[in-house]
Amino acid sequence: MKKKDIQTGLEKEIRKRAKWDFFYICVIALLLSYISVITKVDLFEQLYFFSRQHEHWEMDEITLIVLWCGLGGIFYAYRRVQDLRALLQEVSGKAFFDQVSQLPNRVYSLECLTQMLHQAERLRFRAAVIFIDLDNFKMVNDTYGHAKGDLLLQMFGERLRHSVRKGDIVGRLGGDEYLVLLELTDENELAPVLERIRSIQDEPYRLDENDLIFRFSAGIAIYPDDGETATDLLKASDIAMYHSKVTRTGQIERYTDHMTETLYARYQLESDLKLALQNKNFYMEYQPQLSLKNEQIVGYEALIRWELRGKQVPTTQLIQIAEDTGHIEEIGLWALYQALEDAQSFLQANQRLAVNITSRHFWKSDFVYQIERALSFYEFPPHQLVLELTESALVSDIFDDIRQKVTALRELGILVAIDDFGIGYSCLGRLKDLPINCLKIDQTFTHALVNSERDWYVISTLVNMAKHLNFLIMAEGVESKEQLDLLHQIGCHMAQGYYIGQPATLTHLVAQTSSL
């Protein structure tokens, strides 16, 4: 929808007032003309006698001056009306259109939705409301700056507008949120439009010589199934969008009633997380790591734990919520300091302490400084610290920044490992360019090692590759002696899992160390 096509409530009011003013003028003019006819006013005759009696006034010139002034007044009024119309369009554009994407803003989008629902009720057709939220958009602003972030918002808005039909409406609600309104005379019209919108995620964006693949979360609500008012449909589509963000499927989720309960539970969990952050209601556990060469414990992985109302929140769920709410950096920094403090009580000089980080930690420009500061605070030897980075960082849009900071960490003597390797994000071309020390094979391969020749071959291939790249290989999820023996035969360097040792609290670990 273009700006010139918009007709706001103010413009409608002005047009309506102009029509009534014209009507009143015509009525008054006709009424005065009628009175003049009835009273038989001899206007021209009176003017003639008046001009004859005052010939020295030069009435012809006066009449011409009055005529020219009248014409000038008409021209001036016409020009001012044009100026007012241009000003009204400009004001309407700024008040009802987003200045970055040039799409209808929140106010006008909701007005369009209300009008669409009135027509849908009158003409008995269906309507769809799609709520779209860009994932991790803060990363773009932090990495490339707000100017490039605005450019990305504009490009996304253009692609979104070109993916829908001509009569459909695309608006920007604010920030990184967009709204798509569809009229559906036939429900079969919906699927092709949704597929075109979903496919936008597969198209890269070019920013500073980098190709970014940008994902979004989206939810859809249908009138009248999911609501009959603009407020209800917007709320339903927002809930469905949030469900899409939580599940991370990359699909446009259709609203269902149970999503409300799920969303409420999620909100409650986020509220509990904020409270836990304030009170530092987390604790650490440490899982031993075994060298298969000499069967000695060579290190421990620090694992953050959160107990809520007597039950332990799964670590994967804790990390996901922390990332979604933007608290992952704060939690990660707390875990690092706590692990370094705890390590003073049990870690030996020939052992290493592994701490997990995510690619979001690299968004901070002072990330390397924060690590260096923590090591200095506890006087912890850098060569005993291993930072475990998830494999998804290999396909991150900020890989170049990650590589620079990993290089800086290695220069400090800190070791870096890639965690959960092999679960679908592998990018060997980038792996060889990253100065890491160790690959941790995901537990799914270890679990299937005994009964799957294919998984045995995968791990064997990874070990051979690691030898050529000077990487160490650690297998996660070892739960039996048979698995451990096969890993030893393959030539795997290290292993970790419940068979070797379960995660233990600091108190437990100190007690075990003291008894040796």
Side-chain angles (χ1 to χ4, degrees):
M1 180 170 292
K2 300 179 180 178
K3 288 184 180 180
K4 65 181 182 181
D5 297 328
I6 184 174
Q7 191 177 69
T8 66
L10 177 60
E11 186 172 356
K12 291 178 180 178
E13 181 66 25
I14 291 176
R15 290 178 181 273
K16 181 179 179 181
R17 192 185 307 166
K19 291 178 180 178
W20 278 107
D21 288 347
F22 181 75
F23 173 76
Y24 292 145
I25 291 172
C26 290
V27 170
I28 292 172
L30 291 174
L31 183 60
L32 291 175
S33 299
Y34 177 75
I35 294 174
S36 299
V37 172
I38 295 299
T39 58
K40 297 181 179 181
V41 177
D42 296 329
L43 178 63
F44 288 103
E45 184 177 348
Q46 295 296 328
L47 285 174
Y48 173 77
F49 286 121
F50 181 82
S51 63
R52 295 279 71 84
Q53 293 173 1
H54 302 84
E55 289 185 5
H56 61 283
W57 284 11
E58 297 182 353
M59 296 298 297
D60 293 339
E61 289 76 2
I62 294 175
T63 304
L64 286 175
I65 291 173
V66 172
L67 175 63
W68 301 141
C69 289
L71 291 176
I74 293 173
F75 178 75
Y76 180 83
Y78 174 77
R79 293 288 294 176
R80 297 294 70 77
V81 169
Q82 293 295 102
D83 292 342
L84 286 173
R85 178 178 296 178
L87 179 62
L88 181 61
Q89 290 179 349
E90 181 180 351
V91 171
S92 298
K94 290 183 178 180
F96 293 92
F97 281 85
D98 174 59
Q99 299 305 298
V100 174
S101 63
Q102 304 304 314
L103 297 173
N105 62 12
R106 185 182 189 89
V107 173
Y108 186 53
S109 295
L110 295 181
E111 183 177 340
C112 290
L113 175 57
T114 301
Q115 293 177 1
M116 180 182 291
L117 295 180
H118 289 332
Q119 293 181 357
E121 182 181 7
R122 186 173 65 254
L123 301 177
R124 297 188 180 280
F125 62 77
R126 300 163 70 83
V129 178
I130 305 175
F131 197 110
I132 299 175
D133 181 85
L134 302 182
D135 295 336
N136 298 328
F137 180 72
K138 184 177 182 295
M139 179 270 294
V140 177
N141 282 336
D142 292 344
T143 306
Y144 296 95
H146 288 276
K148 293 298 175 65
D150 289 346
L151 179 61
L152 180 61
L153 292 174
Q154 183 179 359
M155 289 190 294
F156 179 80
E158 290 177 356
R159 292 184 182 183
L160 193 59
R161 183 163 50 83
H162 290 136
S163 68
V164 300
R165 302 164 303 179
K166 187 175 181 180
D168 298 329
I169 297 173
V170 176
R172 182 184 173 212
L173 298 180
D176 55 1
E177 297 178 344
Y178 291 79
L179 193 69
V180 180
L181 308 178
L182 310 174
E183 291 184 358
L184 302 175
T185 55
D186 186 349
E187 196 161 336
N188 294 328
E189 300 172 347
L190 182 60
V193 178
L194 295 183
E195 178 57 30
R196 288 196 299 270
I197 293 175
R198 190 207 60 77
S199 66
I200 296 177
Q201 300 179 101
D202 301 328
E203 304 174 18
Y205 297 86
R206 191 72 172 174
L207 285 181
D208 286 351
E209 306 302 323
N210 294 320
D211 289 330
L212 305 184
I213 298 295
F214 217 66
R215 305 293 180 183
F216 59 76
S217 303
I220 180 172
I222 306 295
Y223 168 85
D225 301 345
D226 304 321
E228 297 184 353
T229 66
T231 302
D232 292 341
L233 290 170
L234 191 65
K235 180 180 178 181
S237 60
D238 188 11
I239 292 174
M241 180 279 297
Y242 202 89
H243 187 268
S244 173
K245 186 177 289 290
V246 171
T247 57
R248 300 186 177 185
T249 60
Q251 301 297 321
I252 302 177
E253 295 281 346
R254 171 71 188 272
Y255 171 79
T256 57
D257 291 335
H258 84 276
M259 288 182 179
T260 304
E261 299 177 3
T262 304
L263 182 62
Y264 176 78
R266 170 77 177 206
Y267 281 150
Q268 184 62 49
L269 204 55
E270 289 180 2
S271 178
D272 292 332
L273 178 61
K274 292 179 181 178
L275 188 61
L277 270 172
Q278 295 174 3
N279 300 327
K280 298 296 183 289
N281 292 336
F282 307 108
Y283 66 95
M284 302 298 295
E285 289 186 340
Y286 301 90
Q287 187 171 30
Q289 298 171 334
L290 181 72
S291 169
L292 299 186
K293 183 178 180 180
N294 56 22
E295 297 186 351
Q296 297 293 318
I297 299 299
V298 293
Y300 294 87
E301 180 181 1
L303 303 169
I304 189 170
R305 298 294 189 240
W306 179 26
E307 190 172 292
L308 180 64
R309 289 185 278 275
K311 295 182 179 180
Q312 191 174 101
V313 178
T315 303
T316 54
Q317 188 178 15
L318 167 61
I319 299 302
Q320 181 176 329
I321 296 175
E323 287 185 344
D324 293 342
T325 56
H327 295 306
I328 187 64
E329 293 91 351
E330 184 179 355
I331 292 178
L333 194 61
W334 177 88
L336 173 65
Y337 272 82
Q338 189 64 48
L340 293 178
E341 180 180 340
D342 292 347
Q344 313 292 322
S345 304
F346 67 86
L347 197 69
Q348 301 177 17
N350 61 344
Q351 295 176 337
R352 295 168 180 166
L353 176 68
V355 179
N356 291 281
I357 56 176
T358 70
S359 59
R360 289 181 65 106
H361 288 94
F362 288 90
W363 294 5
K364 296 294 184 181
S365 58
D366 63 344
F367 170 67
V368 177
Y369 169 74
Q370 292 283 2
I371 300 296
E372 187 177 8
R373 182 182 178 186
L375 291 174
S376 176
F377 183 81
Y378 289 104
E379 297 181 352
F380 193 91
H383 70 274
Q384 285 188 262
L385 177 63
V386 182
L387 296 180
E388 295 190 358
L389 178 63
T390 54
E391 187 188 8
S392 58
L394 297 180
V395 293
S396 172
D397 294 329
I398 58 170
F399 176 77
D400 291 337
D401 194 39
I402 291 177
R403 179 174 55 190
Q404 293 174 5
K405 290 176 180 175
V406 168
T407 302
L409 292 171
R410 294 289 296 115
E411 291 174 352
L412 293 175
I414 299 170
L415 307 179
V416 179
I418 298 296
D419 198 11
D420 301 330
F421 188 77
I423 57 175
Y425 297 98
S426 302
C427 184
L428 298 180
R430 289 184 168 184
L431 181 63
K432 66 180 180 61
D433 295 330
L434 205 61
I436 63 172
N437 305 93
C438 178
L439 295 179
K440 297 187 68 175
I441 300 174
D442 188 71
Q443 60 183 351
T444 55
F445 295 102
T446 306
H447 292 167
L449 183 62
V450 176
N451 300 319
S452 173
E453 182 178 348
R454 193 176 201 178
D455 288 279
W456 184 92
Y457 179 76
V458 168
I459 295 179
S460 178
T461 302
L462 288 175
V463 170
N464 291 329
M465 179 192 70
K467 289 179 180 178
H468 289 90
L469 295 176
N470 294 320
F471 294 158
L472 295 174
I473 290 288
M474 178 183 295
E476 297 180 290
V478 178
E479 297 181 353
S480 68
K481 185 177 186 303
E482 190 175 6
Q483 291 174 348
L484 191 64
D485 291 339
L486 286 174
L487 290 171
H488 193 279
Q489 293 175 15
I490 291 174
C492 191
H493 303 108
M494 296 175 289
Q496 176 181 342
Y498 281 8
Y499 179 75
I500 297 167
Q502 296 188 16
T505 62
L506 175 62
T507 304
H508 212 157
L509 199 57
V510 170
Q512 288 180 348
T513 306
S514 301
S515 63
L516 296 178

